[in-house]
Amino acid sequence: MPASRPSPERKSRRAYHHGNLRQALLAQALRTIHEDGVDALTLRDVGARLRVSRTALYRHFSNKKALLSAVATEGFREFRLALSDAWDKAGRGRAGFEAQGLAYVRFARENPSHYRVMFGGALREDGCDTDLDRESTGAFRVLVDAIAELQRAGNTRPEPPELLALVAWSGVHGLAMLAIDGQLERPGVVIDDVLRFHVARLADALGIRA
Amino acid sequence: MPASRPSPERKSRRAYHHGNLRQALLAQALRTIHEDGVDALTLRDVGARLRVSRTALYRHFSNKKALLSAVATEGFREFRLALSDAWDKAGRGRAGFEAQGLAYVRFARENPSHYRVMFGGALREDGCDTDLDRESTGAFRVLVDAIAELQRAGNTRPEPPELLALVAWSGVHGLAMLAIDGQLERPGVVIDDVLRFHVARLADALGIRA
DNA sequence: ACCTGAACACCGTTCAAGT
DNA sequence: ACCTGAACACCGTTCAAGT
């Protein structure tokens, strides 16, 4: 650690309003998106809520898209933890696979706006955000690793785990999108039953037995 | 037809620039979205390209969201035709089911921006657009009807066709979203192989035999 | 280095006015 | 009925200037 710096917390409190403005900006963006949706997110509002100039943000993010990219990155991090947690807590195996699927959809339904930002399309447009790439790959790998483990035990189809994982990922992704679009709310259907049926079919499709 | 109106095509050519402005606005919006993406769609630009005032649009659409809703409605109409066509041309049966899945993803990949508008979330926000609801339901019913036909021949699982259709729909929807996000373009994967493998797994999952 | 206020070029939408 | 131009309240972003 550095030896002697002039006690930052005293003087800077009024001069520079935030010790960690970047983190505060990101947290506020997440809060606004969660509460009011992504359309309500304006850089001016974020600044105002943090008692900071409208342009202070540009010291930490090159533009609005970069902020949204950071929001998506954080989303994939939470996502990865949720999937990994579900897999472990359900005791792995086929039950773990299905629990992961349900955890996937649960995250999307609890954070619909955040989820939409993660899969919005601000992603791959131009110069790819390496942090975002790394985190989204990390979340996907939780699923690939789970399937690879099942496969080593001889409990799946023989194709490469990445290919099998893609089928499962697409299935829950599509299901999550339909769920947050409200297209699963039809008369006479119980959503939780649909979700359970769906992940069981995905497990079948991959030949998951144990 | 009405008896006598004063030959509209002569005088109105300069007075009212369009005989069918609504249709022209919708066509221009579709063109812009297809060529430059939804972010490039501004009401001012649509008006300018049609040599019409910026506010002329408000005579035909209550606001920008209504225009996008009409765009989505038109998308579901084309969608329904593409799915129905694929089912028939492949001779129905399991081949027809798989052809429908591939046609679904093909539409999304050929019209990524349009597809994103269709599933964007402008949909269900507040007062539902009945036209949009009707068209999106119509597209979904093509799939439900196909599965019901397979089921009558004893070639699927026994659950309600709507439930089975939801699994297939989610699967291809998720696959389409990943495809247009560029997340299927990994080293060493041939996208068409992934798509074919995927729809075959969906057919398996529903117990489609013939 | 980090933050500010004024300014610029946009945008959707409203409204009184024209024909 | 259908269209127009001016105006309003926003927005992201830039930039010279402060500490």
Side-chain angles (χ1 to χ4, degrees):
Chain A
M1 59 181 77
S4 69
R5 33 173 193 184
S7 67
E9 69 279 2
R10 180 153 35 95
K11 171 174 187 185
S12 67
R13 209 174 42 197
R14 272 243 167 263
Y16 295 153
H17 291 65
H18 287 89
N20 196 341
L21 182 54
R22 192 196 132 94
Q23 187 174 313
L25 289 162
L26 185 53
Q28 180 56 52
L30 280 163
R31 199 154 39 231
T32 300
I33 287 171
H34 189 264
E35 288 170 6
D36 301 319
V38 67
D39 285 345
L41 180 74
T42 70
L43 302 190
R44 292 159 120 91
D45 178 72
V46 170
R49 284 183 197 270
L50 261 44
R51 311 282 200 208
V52 139
S53 148
R54 303 199 273 266
T55 59
L57 180 141
Y58 287 90
R59 287 293 126 195
H60 301 279
F61 300 98
S62 60
N63 51 33
K64 186 176 185 178
K65 185 144 83 175
L67 174 64
L68 283 173
S69 196
V71 166
T73 303
E74 169 63 17
F76 278 112
R77 207 193 113 260
E78 297 174 21
F79 211 29
R80 170 172 54 79
L81 297 174
L83 295 182
S84 174
D85 198 52
W87 165 253
D88 282 335
K89 280 208 175 123
R92 314 167 101 85
R94 171 158 174 148
F97 174 86
E98 295 190 6
Q100 230 182 103
L102 293 177
Y104 187 114
V105 181
R106 189 182 319 120
F107 179 92
R109 293 181 74 198
E110 286 174 357
N111 310 279
S113 300
H114 195 172
Y115 186 79
R116 254 193 251 274
V117 173
M118 290 162 60
F119 292 94
L123 269 93
R124 258 281 167 92
E125 294 266 313
D126 32 50
C128 53
D129 183 331
T130 41
D131 284 350
L132 177 56
D133 259 21
R134 186 162 33 79
E135 275 299 350
S136 67
T137 303
F140 183 64
R141 193 156 48 214
V142 171
L143 178 59
V144 174
D145 288 348
I147 289 176
E149 180 177 315
L150 291 165
Q151 198 170 52
R152 277 193 299 275
N155 289 325
T156 71
R157 292 177 57 92
E159 285 84 2
E162 287 81 8
L163 186 58
L164 300 181
L166 216 46
V167 174
W169 187 273
S170 298
V172 289
H173 178 49
L175 186 62
M177 291 293 287
L178 294 179
I180 66 181
D181 272 1
Q183 302 199 36
L184 262 45
E185 286 160 25
R186 299 160 185 278
V189 309
V190 180
I191 290 192
D192 278 335
D193 290 347
V194 173
L195 302 185
R196 270 194 297 271
F197 178 74
H198 198 117
V199 297
R201 267 348 97 220
L202 291 176
D204 286 352
L206 305 190
I208 295 176
R209 285 185 286 263
Chain B
M1 59 180 76
S4 71
R5 34 173 190 183
S7 68
E9 68 278 3
R10 179 153 35 97
K11 170 174 183 185
S12 67
R13 208 176 41 198
R14 272 240 167 267
Y16 295 155
H17 290 67
H18 287 88
N20 195 340
L21 183 54
R22 191 196 134 93
Q23 188 175 314
L25 289 162
L26 184 53
Q28 180 56 52
L30 281 163
R31 201 154 38 232
T32 300
I33 288 171
H34 189 264
E35 288 171 6
D36 301 320
V38 67
D39 286 345
L41 181 75
T42 71
L43 302 190
R44 292 160 119 91
D45 177 74
V46 170
R49 284 182 198 270
L50 261 45
R51 311 283 200 203
V52 140
S53 147
R54 303 199 274 264
T55 58
L57 180 142
Y58 288 90
R59 285 293 128 194
H60 298 94
F61 300 97
S62 60
N63 52 31
K64 186 176 186 178
K65 186 144 84 176
L67 175 63
L68 283 173
S69 195
V71 165
T73 303
E74 170 62 16
F76 278 112
R77 206 192 113 261
E78 297 175 20
F79 211 29
R80 169 171 55 77
L81 298 174
L83 296 182
S84 174
D85 198 50
W87 166 252
D88 282 336
K89 280 207 175 126
R92 313 168 103 84
R94 171 157 173 149
F97 174 86
E98 295 189 6
Q100 234 184 99
L102 294 177
Y104 187 113
V105 180
R106 189 183 320 119
F107 179 92
R109 293 181 74 197
E110 285 173 358
N111 311 278
S113 299
H114 196 171
Y115 187 79
R116 254 192 251 276
V117 172
M118 290 161 62
F119 292 94
L123 269 91
R124 258 278 165 94
E125 295 267 312
D126 32 51
C128 53
D129 182 332
T130 41
D131 284 349
L132 177 56
D133 258 23
R134 185 161 34 79
E135 276 299 349
S136 67
T137 303
F140 183 65
R141 192 155 49 215
V142 171
L143 178 59
V144 174
D145 288 348
I147 289 175
E149 180 177 315
L150 291 165
Q151 198 170 53
R152 278 194 298 274
N155 290 324
T156 70
R157 294 177 56 94
E159 286 84 2
E162 288 79 8
L163 187 58
L164 300 182
L166 216 47
V167 174
W169 187 272
S170 299
V172 289
H173 178 49
L175 186 62
M177 292 293 288
L178 294 179
I180 66 181
D181 273 1
Q183 302 198 34
L184 262 45
E185 287 161 22
R186 300 161 185 277
V189 309
V190 180
I191 291 191
D192 278 336
D193 291 347
V194 173
L195 302 186
R196 271 195 295 272
F197 178 74
H198 198 117
V199 297
R201 267 349 97 220
L202 292 176
D204 286 353
L206 305 191
I208 296 176
R209 284 183 288 262

